[in-house]
């Protein structure tokens, strides 16, 4: 395991080591298949070192089905317009790229806005992993809301026994922190 290790004791030929940094971070870090998002970038951007709070994403309170996973992939289906909040615990603005895949059960156009501005729009093809990327988004301290909208209402999978209506799924949401502004 990488990091700076300090020997804190030994008995005969057994040594005891401790990793040198706030162990609170180890407890807080969970896998993307548990949280529905991944954060990448330098530790000094990923963590508010004063309080050990991480940059994270929170799926909005409405229109999301529960997190689903398969292997290393993770996704959440929506049942209508929805949102994801990115929380920047830093006292400064962070520049980031946000990437994700989108799937749909029927052709539709999806739009993502931040602070009222369109940051991504595309025509989605059904049964495809439509790749999306938002480059150079500014994350001021606090919460930045990404609003996901569709031009059509939710629909059921054709020929499926699943009763849930779906608008689109957001797959493998990743926030890559690039720098401090």
């Amino acid at each position: 395991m990488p990091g700076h290790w300090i020997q804190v004791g030994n008995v005969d030929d057994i040594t005891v080591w401790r990793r040198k940094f706030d162990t609170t971070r180890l407890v807080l870090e969970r896998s993307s298949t548990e949280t529905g998002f991944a954060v990448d970038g330098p530790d000094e951007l990923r963590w508010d070192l004063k309080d050990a709070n991480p940059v994270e994403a929170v799926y909005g309170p409405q229109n999301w089905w529960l997190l689903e996973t398969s292997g290393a992939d993770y996704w959440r289906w929506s049942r209508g317009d929805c949102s994801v909040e990115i929380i920047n615990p830093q006292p400064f603005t962070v520049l980031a790229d946000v990437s994700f895949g989108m799937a749909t059960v029927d052709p539709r156009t999806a739009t993502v806005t931040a602070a009222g501005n369109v940051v991504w729009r595309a025509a989605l093809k059904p049964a495809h992993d439509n790749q999306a990327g938002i480059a150079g988004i500014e994350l001021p301290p606090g919460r930045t809301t990404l609003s996901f909208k569709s031009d059509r209402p939710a629909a059921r999978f054709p020929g499926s026994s699943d009763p849930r209506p779906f608008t689109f799924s957001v797959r493998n949401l990743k926030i890559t922190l690039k720098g401090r502004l």
Side-chain angles (χ1 to χ4, degrees), residues 71-105:
D73 288 333
Y74 52 93
W75 64 91
R76 286 187 82 164
W77 282 100
S78 73
R79 55 183 164 237
D81 294 345
C82 49
S83 65
V84 171
E85 288 186 326
I86 301 174
I87 301 169
N88 173 12
Q90 302 289 7
F92 51 83
T93 298
V94 174
L95 185 65
D97 294 342
V98 177
S99 62
F100 49 92
M102 290 189 90
T104 184
V105 299

Side-chain angles (χ1 to χ4, degrees), residues 16-34:
V16 178
W17 295 79
R18 178 175 50 88
R19 190 169 179 190
K20 185 179 178 183
F21 68 81
D22 186 353
T23 56
T24 305
R25 288 189 223 164
L26 287 176
V27 175
L28 291 174
E29 282 195 273
R30 296 180 297 163
S31 74
S32 55
T33 56
E34 293 176 290

Side-chain angles (χ1 to χ4, degrees), residues 121-176:
R121 175 179 286 145
L124 303 179
K125 297 178 183 175
H128 284 84
D129 188 12
N130 302 275
Q131 291 299 306
I134 303 168
I137 190 167
E138 293 182 14
L139 305 175
R143 296 173 180 261
T144 298
T145 301
L146 299 180
S147 297
F148 292 78
K149 298 186 183 286
S150 172
D151 64 337
R152 302 187 56 206
R156 290 186 54 213
F157 268 112
S160 170
S161 62
D162 191 331
R164 298 178 297 169
F166 300 108
T167 306
F168 45 72
S169 70
V170 173
R171 181 188 272 318
N172 299 333
L173 176 66
K174 183 176 181 183
I175 304 158
T176 304

